[in-house]
Structures are given as structure tokens and as C-alpha cells.
Amino acid sequence: GTADYMAPEVIQGKEVNFLVDFWSLGIIGYEFFTGNLPFNDLSPEKIFENVLSKEIDWPGEDDGEFQINALALDFLKKL
């Protein structure tokens, strides 16, 4: 798969199930709402580091057109 959409379990080589699809859905949702990927970087290795740290720069109220509705934000964070 594409590094930007891989769940932490996949990167770590752990056993996976259908729940990794919810992770990818969250990534796609973030991309739809912001136009960016949440863990994107220049190399797959750095993307993997970002995914494993799970630190995401969520758009804030002062981000103009890139704001995420509170319900959508809650949904994405749960994914």
C-alpha cells in the first residue's frame, strides 16, 4: 500500500484485521477536508515515523476555509 495510508499495525508488521480500513478511511477523510495528508513527508521512512507518533496538525478555527466541522473532526479522531 501507499505509505501515507498505512496503519501503524501494518508498519510494525503486527497482525491486522478489518480495523486497519477504518484507519485508512480516517486518512482519506482528513485529506478530503484539508487537501493534505496528515502524516505526509518527503520519504516513506519519515511518513512511517509520523504515523507511529500519531501526531496530527488539526486545522484550527483561524485556518479559514480549511476548518473542519466539529462533528467531522470528532468522527475523524475516532477513526
Side-chain angles (χ1 to χ4, degrees), residues 59-79:
E61 291 182 15
D62 58 342
D63 289 334
E65 66 183 86
F66 295 107
Q67 291 180 21
I68 298 178
N69 171 290
L71 289 174
L73 181 61
D74 180 59
F75 176 71
L76 292 176
K77 286 183 176 185
K78 288 177 178 173
L79 288 172

Side-chain angles (χ1 to χ4, degrees), residues 39-53:
F39 303 110
N40 194 32
D41 216 302
L42 297 177
S43 71
E45 292 78 17
K46 185 62 179 156
I47 293 169
F48 295 156
E49 287 177 31
N50 295 342
V51 168
L52 295 174
S53 74

Side-chain angles (χ1 to χ4, degrees), residues 2 5 7 12 15 18 24 29 34-36 39-40 49 52-54 58-59 63 66 72 79:
T2 305
Y5 300 91
Q12 295 171 326
E15 188 173 323
F18 69 94
S24 297
T34 68
N36 297 305
F39 303 110
N40 194 32
E49 287 177 31
L52 295 174
S53 74
K54 297 181 186 172
W58 296 101
D63 289 334
F66 295 107
L79 288 172

Side-chain angles (χ1 to χ4, degrees), residues 3-40:
D4 288 295
Y5 300 91
M6 285 187 182
E9 297 89 340
V10 175
I11 294 168
Q12 295 171 326
K14 294 182 178 178
E15 188 173 323
V16 297
N17 58 32
F18 69 94
L19 294 175
V20 298
D21 294 330
F22 288 115
W23 173 273
S24 297
L25 179 60
I27 302 297
I28 292 167
Y30 184 97
E31 186 176 10
F32 283 160
F33 283 111
T34 68
N36 297 305
L37 290 160
F39 303 110
N40 194 32

